[in-house]
Amino acid sequence: MKITAIVPAAGLSSRMGGPLPKPLLPWGASTVIETVVSTLLAAGITDLIVVTGHRRAAIAAALAGYAVRCVHNPTYASGEMLSSIQAGLAAAHPANAGALLALADQPQMQVTVVRQLLHAFEASDGQALVIPSHALHRGHPILLPRWLWNEVLALPAGATLRTVIQDHAATIHYVEVSTPTVLADLDTPEQYAEAVSGTR
């Protein structure tokens, strides 16, 4: 089943501050966005879109050696994450069965978890909205079936993906995972420092 992975990496990273946006922060031997992309590719994703906005040239340059497509979101400064998800869906191949929505600031994402989500989606014949869960909390990435794309694309400015998720709660397939990494992201300097040190 062909899946497109969409990584919104267009934000201003205003809560993080500092000279670098979150995707370009160091992580191990590379950067946060390179780690996210490498994990998705290692999990078997062959169609990967990174949505850019703020510092688009620098992010595209960091990903020059990876098998990804960079798609620009011209409304990134005012459109919140939804506009980047919509830009990614608009660029995805319409024949693909689903879109895996992965966070650009979740370098802790694990290959095994991504594969669990893909397997659950295939088991549903591409019909389920697949979401990882840890300790009864929803996490990321989220696998959005093709039949929901147009509904997400039609959401008005100011709306969020949560609206669609709530409207189709009956179709959600939760994948229980043992790792809290599905709940972790990097919003503040403190969270980044804790994550780098391994305490978060």
Side-chain angles (χ1 to χ4, degrees):
M1 224 172 249
K2 188 76 169 179
I3 300 294
T4 298
I6 297 171
V7 183
L12 298 171
S13 302
S14 54
R15 291 177 62 190
M16 183 65 72
L20 292 174
K22 288 188 289 184
L24 295 178
L25 288 171
W27 189 269
S30 60
T31 62
V32 167
I33 189 63
E34 288 177 87
T35 303
V36 170
V37 163
S38 295
T39 298
L40 294 170
L41 293 173
I45 301 289
T46 58
D47 185 28
L48 207 168
I49 294 172
V50 174
V51 182
T52 61
H54 181 56
R55 299 289 299 273
R56 61 184 290 196
I59 291 175
L63 296 174
Y66 297 85
V68 305
R69 289 187 284 149
C70 288
V71 173
H72 182 59
N73 172 15
T75 64
Y76 72 90
S78 59
E80 301 298 329
M81 189 182 293
L82 175 63
S83 65
S84 289
I85 292 172
Q86 291 172 325
L89 288 175
H93 196 290
N96 286 2
L100 185 75
L101 309 179
L103 300 180
D105 61 350
Q106 197 175 40
Q108 304 98 319
M109 179 174 55
Q110 297 180 1
V111 171
T112 53
V113 169
V114 176
R115 288 176 176 164
Q116 282 180 267
L117 300 178
L118 296 175
H119 291 157
F121 185 70
E122 290 183 0
S124 77
D125 291 326
Q127 298 304 301
L129 173 57
V130 181
I131 301 177
S133 174
H134 176 74
L136 300 180
H137 293 284
R138 290 176 182 170
H140 287 85
I142 292 171
L143 219 170
L144 193 72
R146 178 66 184 85
W147 61 271
L148 279 178
W149 292 10
N150 285 340
E151 192 168 332
V152 175
L153 287 167
L155 286 172
T160 68
L161 185 63
R162 186 178 292 111
T163 301
V164 172
I165 292 174
Q166 291 174 340
D167 287 347
H168 297 280
T171 70
I172 295 175
H173 176 89
Y174 287 106
V175 176
E176 294 292 334
V177 299
S178 59
T179 173
T181 56
V182 298
L183 308 177
D185 57 8
L186 310 174
D187 285 329
T188 66
E190 293 76 19
Q191 290 176 344
Y192 172 64
E194 291 173 0
V196 168
S197 67
T199 59
R200 182 172 187 268

Coordinates of all heavy atoms in Angstrom, one line a residue, residues 110 112-113 116 133-135 175-182:
Q110 N 10.5 6.5 16.4 CA 11.2 5.2 16.3 C 10.7 4.5 15.0 O 9.5 4.5 14.7 CB 11.0 4.3 17.5 CG 11.6 4.9 18.8 CD 11.4 4.1 20.0 OE1 10.8 3.0 19.9 NE2 11.9 4.5 21.1
T112 N 10.4 1.3 14.6 CA 9.5 0.2 14.9 C 8.0 0.8 15.0 O 7.1 0.1 14.7 CB 9.9 -0.5 16.2 OG1 10.1 0.5 17.2 CG2 11.2 -1.2 16.0
V113 N 7.9 1.9 15.6 CA 6.5 2.5 15.8 C 5.9 2.8 14.4 O 4.8 2.6 14.1 CB 6.6 3.8 16.7 CG1 5.2 4.5 16.6 CG2 6.9 3.4 18.1
Q116 N 4.7 -0.3 12.9 CA 3.5 -0.7 13.5 C 2.3 0.0 12.9 O 1.2 -0.6 12.7 CB 3.6 -0.5 15.0 CG 4.4 -1.5 15.8 CD 4.4 -1.1 17.3 OE1 5.2 -0.4 17.8 NE2 3.4 -1.6 18.0
S133 N -0.8 5.3 20.5 CA -1.2 5.7 21.9 C -0.3 5.2 22.9 O 0.2 4.0 22.8 CB -2.6 5.2 22.1 OG -3.1 5.4 23.5
H134 N 0.0 6.0 23.9 CA 0.9 5.5 25.0 C 0.2 6.0 26.3 O 0.0 7.2 26.5 CB 2.3 6.1 24.9 CG 3.2 5.7 26.1 ND1 3.7 4.4 26.2 CD2 3.6 6.4 27.1 CE1 4.4 4.4 27.4 NE2 4.3 5.6 27.9
A135 N 0.0 5.1 27.2 CA -0.6 5.4 28.5 C -1.9 6.2 28.3 O -2.2 7.2 29.0 CB 0.4 6.1 29.4
V175 N -3.0 2.3 18.0 CA -1.9 1.3 18.1 C -1.2 1.6 19.5 O -0.6 2.7 19.6 CB -0.9 1.4 17.0 CG1 0.3 0.5 17.2 CG2 -1.6 1.1 15.6
E176 N -1.4 0.7 20.4 CA -0.8 0.9 21.7 C 0.7 0.6 21.6 O 1.1 -0.5 21.1 CB -1.4 0.0 22.8 CG -2.9 0.3 23.1 CD -3.0 1.6 23.8 OE1 -2.1 2.0 24.5 OE2 -4.1 2.2 23.7
V177 N 1.5 1.6 22.0 CA 3.0 1.4 22.0 C 3.6 1.5 23.4 O 3.0 2.2 24.2 CB 3.6 2.4 21.0 CG1 3.1 2.2 19.6 CG2 3.4 3.8 21.5
S178 N 4.7 0.9 23.6 CA 5.3 0.9 24.9 C 6.2 2.1 25.1 O 6.7 2.3 26.3 CB 6.1 -0.4 25.1 OG 7.1 -0.5 24.1
T179 N 6.5 2.9 24.1 CA 7.4 4.0 24.2 C 6.7 5.3 24.3 O 5.8 5.6 23.5 CB 8.4 4.0 23.0 OG1 9.2 5.2 23.1 CG2 7.7 4.0 21.7
P180 N 7.2 6.2 25.2 CA 6.6 7.5 25.3 C 7.1 8.5 24.3 O 6.6 9.6 24.2 CB 7.0 8.0 26.7 CG 8.3 7.3 26.9 CD 8.2 6.0 26.3
T181 N 7.9 8.0 23.4 CA 8.5 8.9 22.3 C 7.4 9.4 21.4 O 7.5 10.5 20.8 CB 9.5 8.2 21.5 OG1 9.0 7.0 20.9 CG2 10.8 7.9 22.4
V182 N 6.2 8.7 21.3 CA 5.1 9.2 20.4 C 4.5 10.5 21.0 O 3.7 11.1 20.3 CB 4.1 8.1 20.2 CG1 4.7 6.9 19.5 CG2 3.4 7.7 21.5

